[in-house]
């Protein structure tokens, strides 16, 4: 993207691609049908999200921010605001943003300075600066609808004093037509490591007209309605990038000839054999395949829980699904993006020197996926949320719900029953020990949380791989259709349990190692 005098120009081809995307109705895939959305469940939208993220992560961010903003508007805004804004957002005519971060306030939103003053006509004047705003300004749509966190004059201090406002780039007339420009502007765009076709903007609001969404001082509650969806989506961004890396690396490993098989020449009529004959190449490819397919199954499970929590008529089901969403959202956001970087680097490694060269595309995947570990709450914050809030503050109740789900799905005749149940028991014991340690050492939670999240995720992936293997076995017994694909599932499941699940042990050992060395070293000794 390029910036000039407050205007952002997207790369050549983006406007045409976005128009095609919008004409297909994809902007409103999960939107409320009352206002023109398709009303599809998240479990389906998650598959679509992965596909478009694989195609172009930077492009996908433009419509996805509109979908996220629409979710918050639909859940919390007045009927008047919904009617005025949602149809055009679902159609893709208008885009959306989330304006949270300020120069001095990132993770700690309670100290934001953006203010909102009552205009006396049902609107508020919004003044302040927001940074790192994805899609804050661009040339793809006729209007951009900003959701802005700000504080009213009499708001209590801290996060309990934050309100949410809808602030359009262009004011909307009563007949739905666009009126004059609002008093807001893009001050600049960031020059970044990756996702360079996505405009990351500094947004200045100078008494801009905005409209309260939800109740005063309840802005974070409204924003967190979309946050679980957004964090799942960011996890899927990591997965989509990783899948593209895998597909590229697999094709390259099948075509590139280099060296001979340890068992003797495979292609005797050629000067060398394909890279696929080498064990280390297969190790990297199978790591990617196992993490990708495990991540796809796990994220689909979390998406299903979001759907149950939103649509189920059974209150017990809704409550259980909400607990699982709360517990698993930080895992899916953090682990899928960590695995995404791991697999993008592995794919680059398969390419050797060509992976370092821009024209092959692998280095861009590495640069682009890196942001997914940072935005929507850094992965360290996700880990702290998992262990410190979702597990410690619930007294382990959320974890008990999840582990109960896992245990109830295992039959003694399942191929991986023993390994999986042993891992589940170890995770439960790891949790108990960490919570006990934290009673005497307040630094334990923050110091162990990342290793704990990784340990948790390896067990969760083991569970979904066990389920996939069991389903593959059942289908193979019923029919020979798709036999190679189903057999590949079983083989990859075995690979996961033999080569990747053992990572649990090192993560658990690190988590339990205490905090002495971390906090004995003085700042000068660092």
């Amino acid at each position: 993207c390029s910036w000039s005098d407050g205007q952002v120009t997207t790369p050549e081809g983006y406007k045409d691609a976005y128009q095609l995307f919008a004409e297909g109705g994809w902007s409103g895939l999960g939107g409320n049908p009352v206002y023109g959305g398709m009303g599809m469940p998240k479990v389906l939208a998650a598959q679509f999200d992965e596909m478009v993220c694989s195609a172009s992560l930077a492009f996908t961010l433009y419509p996805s921010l509109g979908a996220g903003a629409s979710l918050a508007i639909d859940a919390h805004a007045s009927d008047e605001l919904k009617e005025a804004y949602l149809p055009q957002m679902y159609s893709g005519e208008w885009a959306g943003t989330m304006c949270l971060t300020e120069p001095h306030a990132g993770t700690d939103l309670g100290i934001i300075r953006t203010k909102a003053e009552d205009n006396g006509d049902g609107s508020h004047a919004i003044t302040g600066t927001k940074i790192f705003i994805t899609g804050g300004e661009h040339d793809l749509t006729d209007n951009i609808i900003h959701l802005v966190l700000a504080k009213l004059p009499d708001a209590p201090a801290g996060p309990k004093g934050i309100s949410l406002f809808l602030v359009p780039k262009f004011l909307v007339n009563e007949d739905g037509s666009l009126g004059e420009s609002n008093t807001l502007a893009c001050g600049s765009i960031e020059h970044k490591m990756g996702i360079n076709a996505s405009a990351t903007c500094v947004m200045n609001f100078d008494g801009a007209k905005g409209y309260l969404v939800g109740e005063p001082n309840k802005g974070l509650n409204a924003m967190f309605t979309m946050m679980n969806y957004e964090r799942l989506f960011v996890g899927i961004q990591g997965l989509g990038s990783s899948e593209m890396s895998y597909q590229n690396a697999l094709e390259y490993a099948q075509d590139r000839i280099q060296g001979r098989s340890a068992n003797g020449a495979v292609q005797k009529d050629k000067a060398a054999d394909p890279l696929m004959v080498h064990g280390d190449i297969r190790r990297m490819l199978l790591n990617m395949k196992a993490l990708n397919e495990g991540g796809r199954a796990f994220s689909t499970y979390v998406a299903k829980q979001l759907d149950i929590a939103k649509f189920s008529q059974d209150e017990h089901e809704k409550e259980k699904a909400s607990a699982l969403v709360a517990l698993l959202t930080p895992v899916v956001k953090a682990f899928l993006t960590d695995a995404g970087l791991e697999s993008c680097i592995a794919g680059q490694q398969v390419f050797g020197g060509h992976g370092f060269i821009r024209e092959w595309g692998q280095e861009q995947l590495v640069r682009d996926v890196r942001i997914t570990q940072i935005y929507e709450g850094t992965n360290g914050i996700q880990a702290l949320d998992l262990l410190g809030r979702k597990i410690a503050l619930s007294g382990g109740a959320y974890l008990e719900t999840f582990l109960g789900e896992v245990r109830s799905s295992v039959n003694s005749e399942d191929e991986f029953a023993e390994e999986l149940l042993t891992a589940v028991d170890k995770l439960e014991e790891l949790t108990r020990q960490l919570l006990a340690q934290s009673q005497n050492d307040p630094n334990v939670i923050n110091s162990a949380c990342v290793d704990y999240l990784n340990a948790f995720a390896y067990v969760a992936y083991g569970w979904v791989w066990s389920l996939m293997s069991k389903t593959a076995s059942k289908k193979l017994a019923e029919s020979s259709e798709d036999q190679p694909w189903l057999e590949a599932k079983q083989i990859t499941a075995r690979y996961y349990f033999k080569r990747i699940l053992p990572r649990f042990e090192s993560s658990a050992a690190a988590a339990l190692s205490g905090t002495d060395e971390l906090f004995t070293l003085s700042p000068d000794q660092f």
Side-chain angles (χ1 to χ4, degrees), residues 24-38:
W26 300 110
S27 297
L29 183 63
N32 188 340
V34 173
Y35 302 102
M38 291 192 197

Side-chain angles (χ1 to χ4, degrees), residues 301-414:
Y301 174 77
V302 176
K304 180 182 177 182
Q305 302 312 309
L306 280 167
D307 288 332
I308 293 171
K310 184 175 182 179
F311 296 114
S312 177
Q313 302 300 308
D314 185 311
E315 285 304 316
H316 175 70
E317 271 194 351
K318 288 171 72 80
E319 184 178 339
K320 179 182 176 183
S322 295
L324 288 169
V325 166
L327 177 73
L328 300 178
T329 295
V331 182
V332 79
K333 191 278 180 187
F335 194 77
L336 265 71
T337 57
D338 283 348
L341 179 65
E342 177 185 336
S343 292
C344 285
I345 291 173
Q348 185 184 40
Q349 194 74 11
V350 170
F351 274 76
H354 291 298
F356 199 68
I357 306 302
R358 180 160 294 180
E359 66 186 86
W360 288 86
Q362 286 300 104
E363 61 85 32
Q364 182 184 343
L365 291 174
V366 175
R367 288 186 293 105
D368 285 356
V369 77
R370 184 66 182 87
I371 186 59
T372 64
Q373 298 170 294
I374 298 171
Y375 59 19
E376 292 299 335
T378 66
N379 286 0
I381 293 297
Q382 302 302 320
L384 185 58
D385 179 43
L386 172 67
L387 183 56
R389 185 174 299 164
K390 304 301 171 53
I391 289 179
L393 290 185
S394 74
Y398 287 175
L399 178 66
E400 188 177 329
T401 299
F402 177 64
L403 296 186
E405 187 93 340
V406 175
R407 286 177 170 129
S408 66
S409 70
V410 179
N411 297 317
S412 58
E413 65 270 18
D414 294 346

Side-chain angles (χ1 to χ4, degrees), residues 381-450:
I381 293 297
Q382 302 302 320
L384 185 58
D385 179 43
L386 172 67
L387 183 56
R389 185 174 299 164
K390 304 301 171 53
I391 289 179
L393 290 185
S394 74
Y398 287 175
L399 178 66
E400 188 177 329
T401 299
F402 177 64
L403 296 186
E405 187 93 340
V406 175
R407 286 177 170 129
S408 66
S409 70
V410 179
N411 297 317
S412 58
E413 65 270 18
D414 294 346
E415 181 175 356
F416 306 108
E418 183 177 352
E419 295 101 313
L420 178 58
L421 291 176
T422 297
V424 168
D425 290 344
K426 287 182 176 181
L427 177 61
E428 193 170 47
E429 177 60 17
L430 170 64
T431 308
R432 188 195 66 76
Q433 290 189 45
L434 285 175
L435 293 182
Q437 284 184 10
S438 69
Q439 298 301 308
N440 301 314
D441 183 355
N443 287 317
V444 163
I445 297 293
N446 202 322
S447 303
C449 59
V450 169

Side-chain angles (χ1 to χ4, degrees), residues 123-401:
S123 69
H124 287 76
I126 311 299
T127 302
T129 296
K130 299 289 185 178
I131 64 170
F132 301 155
I133 307 307
T134 301
E137 171 59 29
H138 55 75
D139 57 2
L140 302 179
T141 58
D142 297 331
N143 205 0
I144 301 173
I145 312 306
H146 303 284
L147 290 186
V148 184
L149 291 182
K151 289 196 170 186
L152 294 164
D154 58 350
K160 293 184 178 179
I162 297 175
S163 299
L164 181 64
F165 296 88
L166 184 157
V167 186
K169 176 182 176 180
F170 290 101
L171 300 176
V172 179
N173 298 321
E174 289 188 9
D175 64 358
S177 62
L178 295 183
E180 62 185 11
S181 297
N182 211 343
T183 53
L184 59 90
C186 174
S188 64
I189 59 174
E190 305 293 350
H191 302 282
K192 310 186 298 291
M193 174 182 175
I195 56 168
N196 290 310
S198 171
T200 305
C201 304
V202 175
M203 297 301 300
N204 299 314
F205 298 87
D206 187 12
K209 183 172 284 190
Y211 305 92
L212 184 67
V213 175
E215 299 178 38
N217 305 323
K218 300 288 186 182
L220 277 185
N221 292 347
M223 193 62 85
F224 272 98
T225 297
M226 61 186 287
M227 203 61 78
N228 284 334
Y229 284 83
E230 287 300 313
R231 287 176 173 168
L232 169 62
F233 175 61
V234 174
I236 291 172
Q237 291 175 30
L239 173 60
S241 301
S242 177
E243 177 63 23
M244 179 58 82
S245 178
Y246 172 69
Q247 291 186 22
N248 289 345
L250 177 60
E251 182 178 5
Y252 186 83
Q254 290 171 332
D255 292 341
R256 174 77 165 174
I257 59 171
Q258 204 79 182
R260 287 295 189 188
S261 167
N263 293 322
V266 172
Q267 294 186 347
K268 296 180 181 179
D269 59 330
K270 295 185 178 180
D273 290 332
L275 288 174
M276 284 291 289
V277 304
H278 303 299
D280 189 55
I281 298 294
R282 285 175 166 257
R283 176 190 63 82
M284 289 187 282
L285 290 171
L286 264 171
N287 279 351
M288 287 188 273
K289 181 178 175 64
L291 290 171
N292 287 354
E293 294 181 19
R296 186 172 300 121
F298 182 54
S299 58
T300 299
Y301 174 77
V302 176
K304 180 182 177 182
Q305 302 312 309
L306 280 167
D307 288 332
I308 293 171
K310 184 175 182 179
F311 296 114
S312 177
Q313 302 300 308
D314 185 311
E315 285 304 316
H316 175 70
E317 271 194 351
K318 288 171 72 80
E319 184 178 339
K320 179 182 176 183
S322 295
L324 288 169
V325 166
L327 177 73
L328 300 178
T329 295
V331 182
V332 79
K333 191 278 180 187
F335 194 77
L336 265 71
T337 57
D338 283 348
L341 179 65
E342 177 185 336
S343 292
C344 285
I345 291 173
Q348 185 184 40
Q349 194 74 11
V350 170
F351 274 76
H354 291 298
F356 199 68
I357 306 302
R358 180 160 294 180
E359 66 186 86
W360 288 86
Q362 286 300 104
E363 61 85 32
Q364 182 184 343
L365 291 174
V366 175
R367 288 186 293 105
D368 285 356
V369 77
R370 184 66 182 87
I371 186 59
T372 64
Q373 298 170 294
I374 298 171
Y375 59 19
E376 292 299 335
T378 66
N379 286 0
I381 293 297
Q382 302 302 320
L384 185 58
D385 179 43
L386 172 67
L387 183 56
R389 185 174 299 164
K390 304 301 171 53
I391 289 179
L393 290 185
S394 74
Y398 287 175
L399 178 66
E400 188 177 329
T401 299

